Amino acid sequence: MVELEGSSVNWHLFAVLSQVAFTGWFALTHWVPMPPLNDLSKEAFPQEKRTNLILHLFQLASVLAFVFQIRWLMGLGALFWTLSLIGHITSWWLPYFFGWPKAFLKNAEADNAKTYHFLPPRRNHPIPDLVHCIIGLLALASCIASWAAIFLS
């Protein structure tokens, strides 16, 4: 545990809770139809469901690594959360702020046309929906907590 001005932070617990929250939110929003939060009427890309199942396996392995404090597997878990965060930023925030090729724009517009957005439009850039904004925050928390659990605990 790390002491921060009189309070202690249990990074292992924070890593487990943030990863469980991410995994739960991801599973809920990618498997259970909840319009207007998500649109599961069709797969966003070929083999999406299969890809999501594989991601769930990595997520679960990481959670278990941090629960049982298996150091080498925790390192792989932290790497997974870092890559997830980078992928999220690359897929949603860079296109939102800087634009994206037209081929991606068509897919992003079709995939998220029926989902809830609260961010203002930026020209013809894709807008991250609420589901993906929450995914980004949970990925950030999981990434930070995972590395902190490894190096600060």
Side-chain angles (χ1 to χ4, degrees):
M1 244 182 285
V2 175
E3 294 287 329
L4 296 176
E5 297 183 27
S7 67
S8 60
V9 177
N10 185 333
W11 288 108
H12 280 97
L13 179 61
F14 185 35
V16 169
L17 293 177
S18 61
Q19 291 175 30
V20 167
F22 179 101
T23 303
W25 179 253
F26 187 89
L28 181 68
T29 59
H30 285 73
W31 294 98
V32 179
M34 297 181 299
L37 282 181
N38 60 14
D39 179 12
L40 302 181
S41 60
K42 62 183 175 79
E43 288 190 333
F45 55 88
Q47 302 293 321
E48 178 187 17
K49 301 252 185 247
R50 184 177 185 191
T51 301
N52 289 343
L53 283 173
I54 293 167
L55 289 173
H56 292 319
L57 291 175
F58 281 103
Q59 294 160 359
L60 179 61
S62 181
V63 169
L64 292 174
F66 282 87
V67 166
F68 295 107
Q69 297 186 22
I70 304 167
R71 302 275 307 167
W72 70 270
L73 195 51
M74 288 168 56
L76 290 178
L79 180 61
F80 168 78
W81 293 111
T82 302
L83 294 174
S84 294
L85 180 60
I86 291 169
H88 176 76
I89 291 167
T90 302
S91 298
W92 289 105
W93 295 103
L94 291 179
Y96 177 66
F97 287 111
F98 303 109
W100 204 248
K102 280 193 171 201
F104 177 79
L105 283 176
K106 289 178 184 176
N107 288 340
E109 289 167 354
D111 293 342
N112 296 307
K114 299 177 185 174
T115 59
Y116 178 74
H117 299 82
F118 65 93
L119 295 170
R122 295 181 52 84
R123 290 174 252 156
N124 67 340
H125 301 178
I127 304 169
D129 57 18
L130 178 62
V131 165
H132 288 94
C133 289
I134 293 171
I135 283 174
L137 291 173
L138 292 172
L140 178 63
S142 296
C143 182
I144 291 170
S146 297
W147 287 111
I150 291 169
F151 290 110
L152 300 177
S153 295

